[in-house]
């Protein structure tokens, strides 16, 4: 397993970084994004969705918990989760998380630490870190 790292010096470099990430998705479908508040998780997921051909407006699913988008490239659904407001795991059971996580469709998950025990074993852990100079580093095992 190789640790991949993308450095994003500025927002202008974000689309290129997202395309690089997409090139490494392979057959995996569950991506759990870890990072502090403000690290850029939502911004990066938005850029990745755009790189995958999502043409609709991409917003944070903070209140909805999950947003569904469609890739114009493949016609397939992409699910974007934000579990920041989850108070109890029962909320995640009630939303039918298994239907999403085991659908074979791409799932991008923000705040996965709040539902860690429900993540599939093959979920890819993606860490986003903000550096002192404002740049971002995205790391995952490829």
């Amino acid at each position: 397993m190789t640790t991949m790292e993308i450095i994003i010096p500025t927002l202008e470099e974000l689309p290129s970084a997202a395309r690089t990430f997409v090139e490494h998705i392979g057959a995996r479908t569950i991506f759990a994004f870890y990072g502090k508040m403000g690290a850029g998780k939502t911004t990066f997921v938005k850029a990745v969705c755009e790189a995958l051909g999502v043409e609709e407006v991409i917003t944070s699913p903070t209140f909805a918990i999950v947003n569904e988008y469609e890739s114009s490239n493949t016609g397939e659904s992409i699910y974007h989760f934000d579990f920041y407001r989850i108070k109890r795991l029962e909320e995640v059971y009630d939303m039918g998380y298994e239907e999403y996580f085991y659908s074979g469709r791409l799932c991008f998950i923000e705040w996965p630490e709040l539902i860690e025990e429900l993540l599939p074993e093959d979920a890819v852990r993606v860490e986003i870190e903000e550096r002192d100079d404002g740049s971002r580093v995205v790391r995952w095992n490829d």
Side-chain angles (χ1 to χ4, degrees):
M1 204 179 305
T2 307
T3 299
M4 299 296 297
E5 184 173 278
I6 300 172
I7 296 172
I8 309 169
T10 65
L11 272 177
E12 289 75 35
E13 315 271 338
L14 190 57
S16 172
R19 285 190 300 275
T20 299
F21 183 82
V22 166
E23 290 168 11
H24 290 276
I25 285 178
R28 294 161 305 178
T29 58
I30 310 292
F31 294 85
F33 289 86
Y34 293 81
K36 293 180 181 173
M37 180 74 73
K41 296 180 296 295
T42 301
T43 303
F44 188 71
V45 169
K46 178 180 177 182
V48 168
C49 286
E50 288 170 352
L52 287 164
V54 172
E55 294 174 353
E56 58 210 281
V57 175
I58 300 163
T59 58
S60 173
T62 301
F63 294 100
I65 299 176
V66 62
N67 287 342
E68 179 178 350
Y69 304 111
E70 184 178 310
S71 167
S72 62
N73 299 347
T74 64
E76 291 190 357
S77 294
I78 297 169
Y79 302 113
H80 179 195
F81 298 85
D82 184 335
F83 289 115
Y84 182 73
R85 297 199 177 281
I86 290 295
K87 301 288 184 250
R88 300 177 342 275
L89 279 179
E90 286 75 27
E91 295 174 65
V92 184
Y93 287 112
D94 290 347
M95 69 172 282
Y97 79 95
E98 296 108 326
E99 290 181 39
Y100 297 103
F101 287 8
Y102 298 100
S103 66
R105 303 286 183 244
L106 286 171
C107 294
F108 300 125
I109 304 164
E110 295 184 52
W111 299 101
E113 48 271 70
L114 300 176
I115 60 139
E116 195 85 41
E117 63 199 66
L118 303 180
L119 289 175
E121 275 185 35
D122 61 349
V124 178
R125 181 184 180 99
V126 181
E127 304 215 12
I128 299 180
E129 173 191 341
E130 181 180 10
R131 292 184 167 170
D132 291 340
D133 64 2
S135 66
R136 303 301 199 270
V137 180
V138 180
R139 283 187 203 91
W140 74 99
N141 288 325
D142 197 26

